[in-house]
Amino acid sequence: MSTTLFDTAPDFSQPIAVLKHCHDRIRKQLQTMQNLLGHLPKHGADAEAQQAAQAVLKYFNKAAHLHHEDEEQNLIPMLQATAREADAALLAELVPGILAGHQQMDKDWSIIKSQLEQIANGASSTLSANDVTRFCDTYAVHMVVEESNIAPMAKRLFSAEQMAQLGSAMQVRRGITPDLPISQVPEQQAAPSNNTVADGVVLADLRLDYGRASLTEHDVLDDPIAQFGKWFEEALHAKVNEPNAMSVATVDADGKPSSRIVLIKQYDSRGFTWYTNYESQKGQQLRANPHAALLFFWSELERQVRIEGKVVQTAAEESDKYFYSRPVKSQIAAIASQQSAPIANRELMEINYEAAAAASGEHPVRPAHWGGFRLDPERIEFWQGRRSRFHDRIVYVKQADGSWVKERLQP
């Protein structure tokens, strides 16, 4: 007979097994809370009670929410994109309850958390049996539904590539660098080449099969600016890394393109606004050719937005308003830097900054060469990644009268 000395956990190559392992750990913490209900009246917030409360707090504060995000942001959207007929109908029935369960458990946890914190530091020995019972019962039913329906469906429907995608997303969420799948390279291609990235991974094989959501002509709003706002809010809610970062592509007088990442500062019915040095490379190119293309890519949501149009400078009043809203050090940096111009070294940059700071004092003045650009959109495309590179693309094109016409594009 063999007994394991530690609690073994599946690795992320088995993401559904990892989710079940999370459930098992949750059950242990729920049992600890129930044990506390019996312990506290007899022994108060003694060292054992404090240790138990600390263990429960640590798990539900740091780990449990990751499990919910695994389901909400990866597992459920992937199933919704994959399931058909009876499976799709079952998901439509179950998912609202699962999401409502997450919200209820988060609400109940906030109540129990404050009680456990008092117990953990020995300040109180009160733990509400009603609050604990409600929390435990909600979790118990929730986990049974997932283990009886969601997990078996995922194991049955997901391809190996989808399982790898789910496992990788779960690793990233936990701050773990996922292992990239290594494709078998034929022997005659085994030597390193310009197409090999690292560790035998072939550049052409670096791909993910998207499956979080879909996009139809009926899903989008009639106004593309409003639709952008809707997606932008969803990116904020999903905690996308720098959702306001966009690529700005411009073309010089000779037709040579260049692009860079900037941060959008405003969007409204007039267009999309960012601020920069008018003498920078992009400023000079926009003087020669006042047209640009913007690109937002939100990988966590498998979405991109492409925007094309004519660019104008913002009014001086608008540039002033934004400039003076910036931290003083950022204002001084805008004065000190001749953006895109060569300079000998970093030390000279620092000298220029100190000189600008000394001259500006506590109230820098916006230089005439610094201000805003606004792109007035003529074409806006919303792209949603889908399985097998069969993506959804909905484009809006502005008409002569200012109205918008939308249509689907082939991937």
Side-chain angles (χ1 to χ4, degrees):
M1 179 176 175
S2 172
T3 303
T4 313
L5 297 178
F6 55 92
D7 182 20
T8 57
D11 63 35
F12 287 92
S13 65
Q14 307 171 69
I16 304 304
V18 171
L19 293 174
K20 174 59 169 63
H21 180 74
C22 291
H23 280 184
D24 292 341
R25 294 181 66 193
I26 288 169
R27 289 187 173 99
K28 290 180 180 179
Q29 300 302 330
L30 297 178
Q31 185 60 56
T32 298
M33 277 195 285
Q34 291 171 330
N35 293 343
L36 268 172
L37 289 175
H39 180 93
L40 289 168
K42 299 176 183 178
H43 307 284
D46 61 2
E48 190 175 355
Q50 291 179 40
Q51 186 178 10
Q54 290 166 3
V56 175
L57 284 165
K58 180 178 180 181
Y59 184 79
F60 282 103
N61 283 339
K62 295 187 176 181
H65 69 94
L66 298 175
H67 176 69
H68 291 176
E69 291 172 6
D70 290 336
E71 296 172 353
E72 293 180 3
Q73 298 181 25
N74 301 105
L75 176 60
I76 289 174
M78 288 175 67
L79 277 173
Q80 289 172 324
T82 306
R84 298 291 183 268
E85 299 178 352
D87 290 323
L90 181 59
L91 280 177
E93 178 185 343
L94 295 178
V95 167
I98 291 172
L99 300 181
H102 286 170
Q103 292 181 350
Q104 184 62 50
M105 288 182 286
D106 289 343
K107 181 179 178 182
D108 290 343
W109 170 244
S110 67
I111 297 170
I112 297 172
K113 176 184 174 182
S114 61
Q115 300 174 34
L116 288 171
E117 287 172 340
Q118 294 292 310
I119 296 168
N121 61 30
S124 171
S125 59
T126 301
L127 184 60
S128 167
N130 288 337
D131 293 338
V132 170
T133 300
R134 182 174 62 249
F135 185 66
C136 292
D137 287 350
T138 304
Y139 245 121
V141 171
H142 180 83
M143 290 187 291
V144 167
V145 168
E146 291 182 341
E147 291 170 6
S148 302
N149 299 280
I150 301 300
M153 186 186 298
K155 286 194 277 189
R156 178 165 46 83
L157 296 182
F158 284 175
S159 65
E161 188 175 15
Q162 286 174 298
M163 285 294 188
Q165 179 186 349
L166 176 58
S168 294
M170 291 165 66
Q171 287 176 285
V172 170
R173 184 165 291 115
R174 288 157 178 80
I176 303 169
T177 302
D179 295 326
L180 291 172
I182 298 177
S183 301
Q184 273 196 313
V185 182
E187 189 172 342
Q188 66 269 25
Q189 297 179 5
S193 71
N194 291 336
N195 294 325
T196 302
V197 182
D199 297 329
V201 179
V202 177
L203 185 61
D205 289 341
L206 288 175
R207 65 175 66 231
L208 287 175
D209 204 15
Y210 300 117
R212 294 181 191 275
S214 61
L215 186 67
T216 71
E217 295 85 340
H218 306 294
D219 293 332
V220 294
L221 303 175
D222 291 334
D223 181 356
I225 306 298
Q227 178 62 34
F228 177 86
K230 178 175 181 290
W231 268 23
F232 191 80
E233 288 296 322
E234 290 174 4
L236 290 172
H237 180 72
K239 294 182 172 55
V240 166
N241 183 38
E242 290 199 294
N244 54 334
M246 62 181 183
S247 167
V248 177
T250 53
V251 177
D252 66 15
D254 296 325
K256 296 178 181 178
S258 60
S259 64
R260 73 289 290 163
I261 300 295
V262 305
L263 301 180
I264 188 173
K265 295 301 178 182
Q266 182 182 5
Y267 66 88
D268 53 32
S269 59
R270 299 173 300 168
F272 299 79
T273 302
W274 69 96
Y275 292 86
T276 189
N277 187 314
Y278 289 141
E279 299 303 321
S280 65
Q281 182 195 50
K282 56 184 170 294
Q284 294 180 39
Q285 290 183 346
L286 286 169
R287 266 203 308 273
N289 185 343
H291 294 83
L294 312 180
L295 173 65
F296 293 84
F297 179 53
W298 299 317
S299 61
E300 294 90 338
L301 297 175
E302 298 171 351
R303 289 174 174 174
Q304 61 177 316
V305 184
R306 299 171 59 190
I307 307 168
E308 300 167 10
K310 187 172 182 179
V311 178
V312 298
Q313 292 186 11
T314 60
E317 294 78 10
E318 282 188 79
S319 295
D320 284 342
K321 183 177 180 180
Y322 176 68
F323 182 82
Y324 295 120
S325 73
R326 306 175 87 206
V328 171
K329 289 184 178 180
S330 296
Q331 296 176 18
I332 294 171
I335 296 169
S337 173
Q338 296 180 18
Q339 192 178 110
S340 301
I343 194 166
N345 50 51
R346 176 77 190 190
E347 287 73 22
L348 186 53
M349 286 173 54
E350 300 288 353
I351 291 171
N352 291 346
Y353 179 90
E354 294 301 329
S360 299
E362 296 182 0
H363 302 288
V365 176
R366 179 181 70 84
H369 65 256
W370 193 97
F373 281 118
R374 179 179 295 113
L375 183 142
D376 180 10
E378 300 167 353
R379 182 184 188 277
I380 304 179
E381 179 188 327
F382 296 87
W383 179 99
Q384 177 70 61
R386 294 295 300 274
R387 296 184 66 194
S388 304
R389 296 298 181 267
F390 220 52
H391 308 307
D392 287 325
R393 299 173 63 188
I394 304 295
V395 66
Y396 297 74
V397 179
K398 185 180 284 186
Q399 306 302 295
D401 62 359
S403 64
W404 292 92
V405 172
K406 62 183 176 182
E407 60 185 348
R408 173 176 288 273
L409 300 180
Q410 298 182 59

